[in-house]
Amino acid sequence: DRIRVRLSRLFRDIPQPSPINVHRKIYERVSDARAYFLRGFSEALKVPPEALPKLLRVTPFQGRGFAIEGAAMALTLMDELSPGPHSRLRVLCDGKSAEEQTLVAIGVGWASARLGKPLDWSPIVLGSHYISAVVDGYGFHQGFFHSERFTGRGFPVNTGELSTFYDV
């Protein structure tokens, strides 16, 4: 599937963060979080969505949330980029607690930023009460892929209700 192959290359050229000027423990935690996110993302590209809940259950507890976020990003991208209606994300959401669905929403936010969706966009499967988590994920994506646009001078000033979700 062309879309899976294209998405599998998304994080390939992103360098590992540098430990310079960062406390070793913080560097290790951020590196672990990144690895779990990428693991969830890549597993979601490899297996049918029905297999993901089992894979996520065997992920160590401290990384499970990041893996859920990564899997949600991958499934949302596949649903949105594939022709015809799809419900891969719905399979991931089914039976999840409110906390886990919040993590799914953060992953959806990563995908919505990648897709160029508006800040208040959310797939129907999530519902509007998760929009703040979607916006958080959107911000994480922007910081991860476009940190130069969001640090130092020239930080974009947003207005309106959703602007409060960005770190300033």
Side-chain angles (χ1 to χ4, degrees), residues 66-104:
F66 299 111
I68 289 171
E69 291 173 10
M73 179 186 185
L75 295 177
T76 302
L77 289 171
M78 286 194 297
D79 280 351
E80 291 296 309
L81 296 173
S82 299
H86 294 283
S87 59
R88 294 175 186 97
L89 186 65
R90 181 176 301 283
V91 174
L92 183 63
C93 289
D94 285 348
K96 294 282 186 267
S97 67
E99 292 82 8
E100 291 170 314
Q101 291 215 24
T102 299
L103 296 167
V104 168

Side-chain angles (χ1 to χ4, degrees), residues 9-17 34 38 144-145:
R9 297 180 187 141
L10 186 61
F11 291 97
R12 185 185 321 164
D13 298 328
I14 304 293
Q16 179 75 0
R34 180 182 187 275
L38 294 175
F144 190 86
F145 285 103

Side-chain angles (χ1 to χ4, degrees), residues 119 135-136 138-139 142 150 155-156 158 162-168:
L119 276 177
V135 173
D136 282 345
Y138 195 106
Q142 297 302 77
F150 298 95
F155 185 87
N158 296 303
L162 294 177
S163 64
T164 59
F165 296 109
Y166 280 94
D167 290 335
V168 244

Side-chain angles (χ1 to χ4, degrees), residues 22-158:
V22 177
H23 188 280
R24 184 181 57 81
K25 288 286 185 190
I26 294 171
Y27 173 76
E28 289 171 5
R29 298 292 295 270
V30 169
S31 293
D32 288 349
R34 180 182 187 275
Y36 283 118
F37 183 94
L38 294 175
R39 180 186 201 180
F41 185 89
S42 63
E43 288 298 322
L45 296 177
K46 293 178 193 172
V47 302
E50 300 79 27
L52 279 175
K54 182 179 179 189
L55 284 171
L56 292 170
R57 276 194 305 275
V58 298
T59 300
F61 179 76
Q62 69 273 17
R64 193 171 302 148
F66 299 111
I68 289 171
E69 291 173 10
M73 179 186 185
L75 295 177
T76 302
L77 289 171
M78 286 194 297
D79 280 351
E80 291 296 309
L81 296 173
S82 299
H86 294 283
S87 59
R88 294 175 186 97
L89 186 65
R90 181 176 301 283
V91 174
L92 183 63
C93 289
D94 285 348
K96 294 282 186 267
S97 67
E99 292 82 8
E100 291 170 314
Q101 291 215 24
T102 299
L103 296 167
V104 168
I106 292 170
V108 166
W110 278 74
S112 68
R114 194 76 192 169
L115 294 166
K117 300 280 190 181
L119 276 177
D120 59 353
W121 175 82
S122 177
I124 294 169
V125 67
L126 277 180
S128 61
H129 52 287
Y130 289 105
I131 194 65
S132 63
V134 172
V135 173
D136 282 345
Y138 195 106
F140 280 121
H141 174 279
Q142 297 302 77
F144 190 86
F145 285 103
H146 309 292
S147 59
E148 72 286 348
R149 290 174 32 199
F150 298 95
T151 56
R153 292 180 164 229
F155 185 87
V157 178
N158 296 303

